[in-house]
Amino acid sequence: MDRVRDLASTRAAVIFTKSSCCMCHSIKTLFYELGASPAIHELDRDASGREMEWALRGLGCNPSVPAVFIGGKYVGSAKDVLSLHLDGSLKQMLIDAKAIWF
Amino acid sequence: MPSFDPHLPISNAPGIEGSRIHAYRVSDFGPFEQSVAFRLEDAIDLSTSTVFNSAKASGQAVSFDPLHIATFDKSTTSFNINPPAAQVESQRLPLEKNQQLNLVSISSGNTENWGESNMADASPRTDISTDADTDDKNLGFDRGLSIVVAASDSSDRSKDKLDQKTLRRLAQNREAARKSRLRKKAYVQQLESSRLKLTQLEQELQRARQQGIFISSSGDQAHSMSGNGAMAFDVEYARWLEEQNRQINELRSAVNSHASDAELHIIIDGIMAHYDEIFRLKSNAAKADVFHLLSGMWKTPAERCFLWLGGFRSSELLKLLVNQLEPLTEQQLVGIGNLQQSSQQAEDALSQGMEALQQSLAETLSSGSLGSSSSSGNVANYMGQMAMAMGKLGTLEGFIRQADNLRQQTLQQMHRILTTRQSGRALLAIHDYFSRLRALSSLWLARPRE
């Protein structure tokens, strides 16, 4: 969990993924489309990947990836991110966290 | 089954130890000669197929038994054969009346219902001894049925040859034949009534299907499971459409009769809840048969034209609605515009994810040793590939779910931005649009072709 928190606070937008996960690819695409440059951490390429996954599940993220953090705070998985995007909240969060400017 | 040369003695017939059957010496059969040459293969065929269906030409049925030979031409060896372990089938073959035959048949190795190893005489006159003199005359037996006649050309046969054992055995044969006939009759009757019942059931099933009752169509479990998912969803969707039509009609008459906002609000809430219902149904269907949803076969052809990830494209819908919803306030215009753009971006993101999935799947299936290296390595590779591919296919459900989520959220967000009356008009417009697509599909399907 610590490792997750540490990594999540290194950048305004952080996404935990797995290299094989195509839904992660979708969410990454969305962030790039919005102009954000999220930090991507692939759990299957990390030594403590399994613990991190377990920690993410503990946060309520199901499936565990993609897991999105904005401004160090846990935002949710794909479904949450897309919903927030539709009502405009996602963009605002990114602006507030200074991940994007407009 | 052995095939016999009819001219050779049989020395390896089952159930007979050490004895030889001179059953097929055609030369022994005098007037029979070639016309009654008994082809053993025929007998074997006969014994294993439902000959009794074809063997109905005359009213005379004869059941004969393999390896049983009553008497022989005096030039042949006479002996008694007890059919012990030999499993035999008694066959019924039609013979002309008044023919007296002692029949020999071959064991097929299996006894079915007819299974008693006995032989019956052909004619009502079941006592051989009385027929001895008429045998020669009665052998115009040439109906294409080849039956071995064992040594019945017995002008030489005399009562002396018949001993007690033979008589008793003949009686037993008759009795067994009679029982056999009765059993056959019972069996055939059973078959007939089952067939009738089957036809009735099929008709019922047909009728029920037409009424839209969902009935599982196959006994194969795996197959019917996927069939269940698709068919069940189609039925549920049809019902859902009916209900939606009803609700929309209610809304339309409420709008046209200038009902109050409160009234409209209630109806609209019902319609929104009904939309939630279809997304719930689709979610279940995605678990059961994601490919059915993806195929769009549950939609009409024209709707399928616009299919995106198993449903409609929210962004397109909003584009269509904006014109019909005027007048909109500035804030509303911005809101709808943003919603349209957001849903477009979300749709693009999901599309890209799907493309990545396709690519990944293609790579998985085409990688590895295509023909090279050892065969065991190939098998392991293949299985590994398949396992990976299976995993990737499993993620399809997630994509459909997110796509439906997008549709649901877009509708709800639109409802929030608009006033009650505007929402009402929007829902009517959406319904009309899809209705026309469905009508177009019907017209298309019914179009005259050259």
Side-chain angles (χ1 to χ4, degrees), chain B residues 362-383:
Chain B
E363 269 168 32
T364 302
L365 290 177
S366 61
S367 72
S369 48
L370 295 173
S372 59
S373 91
S374 74
S375 64
S376 63
N378 268 349
V379 169
N381 260 340
Y382 183 81
M383 283 168 58

Side-chain angles (χ1 to χ4, degrees), chain B residues 225-230 282-292 397:
Chain B
M225 281 312 282
S226 67
N228 276 356
K282 282 181 81 180
S283 173
N284 291 340
K287 287 199 195 76
D289 190 351
V290 67
F291 288 102
H292 178 64
E397 194 198 322

Side-chain angles (χ1 to χ4, degrees), chain A residues 22-23 26 79 83 85-87, chain B residues 345 349 353 357 402 405 409:
Chain A
C22 294
M23 187 57 73
S26 285
K79 181 178 176 180
S83 301
H85 180 56
L86 279 180
D87 66 16
Chain B
Q345 286 167 334
L357 179 59
Q402 294 305 331
N405 208 40
Q409 300 279 331

